[in-house]
Amino acid sequence: MPEWEIHRALVIGLLATSVVVLVSLLFLTAPYGRHLRQGWGPTLPAHWAWVAMETPSVLVFAAVYFWGDNAWQLTALILLGLWQLHYLSRTFVYPFRLRNRSQRMPLIIAAMAFLFTCVNSYVNARWLTHFGEYPDSWIKSPAFIIGAVLFLLGFIINQHADRVLLNLRKPGDTRYYIPTGGLYRFISCPNYFGEILTWIGWAIAVWSMAGLAFAVFTIANLLPRALSNHRWYREQFDNYPVDRKAIIPKLL
């Protein structure tokens, strides 16, 4: 089978999986973080699980990217920089900032995430430098400019939201608190909102089915998670702000 057919099949597979993930997570909350519970098999320290499952997004993406013939084109290099900006932070910085080092994550969750990041990194990187075409003029296109702005805006929102959450606890503290400030004034999960905005921006900037599949999967994964977290906050805190939405200000 030609590689382009394998690539297309994997992209279609990601889109199909997104539907399954969305429907499943609307009825079943993924068992990690505050929603961790028994019955999901062996677990790993959460911070090391994060490193393991996100590492392909750094290493596999870079390897596949530089495998392509167009790896040194300016536009592709800028897109590589955006991708790695997010994932170097997500893989090698964020996990070691977590205050509660006793948190665990089911091995099966980390394994499924690892598989996803491997496939997702391949299809996006291979498109950038092999199947896609990004001449230097692409950086002046509306799609690239709008997409890059949304990507960076989402990254900033995500980083700020994570910082707020991390600063709620002192080292060793395992309690949960109501986050405040920034977009937490309006929604319970600005970290997820920022992540979704980032990958919508990516999909627009690369203007490809591979990018679209990633954005759709991100929404399918994080939207139900945001709804679950919002519901959890309301159940745990009697004084939780009544006008705060889950993930989209004033709407949802």
Side-chain angles (χ1 to χ4, degrees):
M1 181 184 292
E3 188 190 358
W4 69 267
E5 290 188 6
I6 296 173
H7 185 274
R8 182 178 65 179
L10 289 173
V11 170
I12 294 172
L14 286 177
L15 288 168
T17 302
S18 298
V19 176
V20 175
V21 167
L22 176 62
V23 173
S24 300
L25 293 182
L26 286 174
F27 296 97
L28 178 67
T29 302
Y32 66 90
R34 74 196 65 197
H35 304 289
L36 180 65
R37 54 192 181 276
Q38 298 295 320
W40 287 83
T43 62
L44 303 170
H47 59 292
W48 287 117
W50 272 107
V51 173
M53 69 191 196
E54 298 287 9
T55 292
S57 295
V58 176
L59 300 184
V60 172
F61 189 93
V64 174
Y65 176 94
F66 286 109
W67 178 29
D69 295 333
N70 303 321
W72 298 105
Q73 291 183 348
L74 175 62
T75 305
L77 285 170
I78 293 173
L79 291 167
L80 169 67
L82 290 176
W83 180 282
Q84 296 290 8
L85 172 69
H86 174 88
Y87 274 113
L88 285 171
S89 174
R90 180 58 58 190
T91 307
F92 300 119
V93 177
Y94 170 77
F96 298 103
R97 296 175 66 199
L98 296 174
R99 301 289 194 185
N100 182 7
R101 291 301 179 87
S102 65
Q103 273 194 335
R104 311 284 295 182
M105 179 183 293
L107 175 60
I108 189 171
I109 297 296
M112 288 190 295
F114 179 86
L115 177 61
F116 167 77
T117 54
C118 285
V119 173
N120 186 55
S121 295
Y122 164 75
V123 298
N124 275 278
R126 197 60 173 152
W127 179 267
L128 277 190
T129 60
H130 183 68
F131 294 113
E133 277 291 333
Y134 295 98
D136 291 354
S137 59
W138 183 250
I139 62 176
K140 299 178 183 179
S141 68
F144 181 86
I145 294 170
I146 293 170
V149 168
L150 289 177
F151 185 102
L152 292 172
L153 179 60
F155 178 78
I156 292 169
I157 291 171
N158 183 266
Q159 290 287 307
H160 178 265
D162 281 347
R163 191 180 308 115
V164 170
L165 289 179
L166 292 168
N167 288 338
L168 287 175
R169 292 172 172 168
K170 296 180 179 179
D173 188 359
T174 62
R175 292 173 295 177
Y176 284 91
Y177 303 88
I178 299 175
T180 58
L183 284 180
Y184 283 107
R185 290 174 293 175
F186 309 107
I187 53 178
S188 296
C189 300
N191 49 342
Y192 296 158
F193 174 75
E195 185 102 0
I196 288 171
L197 195 62
T198 291
W199 298 117
I200 289 175
W202 173 265
I204 295 171
V206 301
W207 206 252
S208 71
M209 289 299 296
L212 176 64
F214 187 16
V216 170
F217 188 94
T218 300
I219 294 169
N221 183 37
L222 296 185
L223 177 60
R225 185 74 176 180
L227 295 174
S228 295
N229 283 0
H230 184 66
R231 188 163 51 247
W232 182 91
Y233 275 121
R234 288 188 174 276
E235 291 171 352
Q236 296 296 317
F237 297 100
D238 293 335
N239 60 334
Y240 197 71
V242 295
D243 57 346
R244 190 178 293 187
K245 299 297 184 180
I247 192 168
I248 302 176
K250 305 295 184 181
L251 294 176
L252 181 64

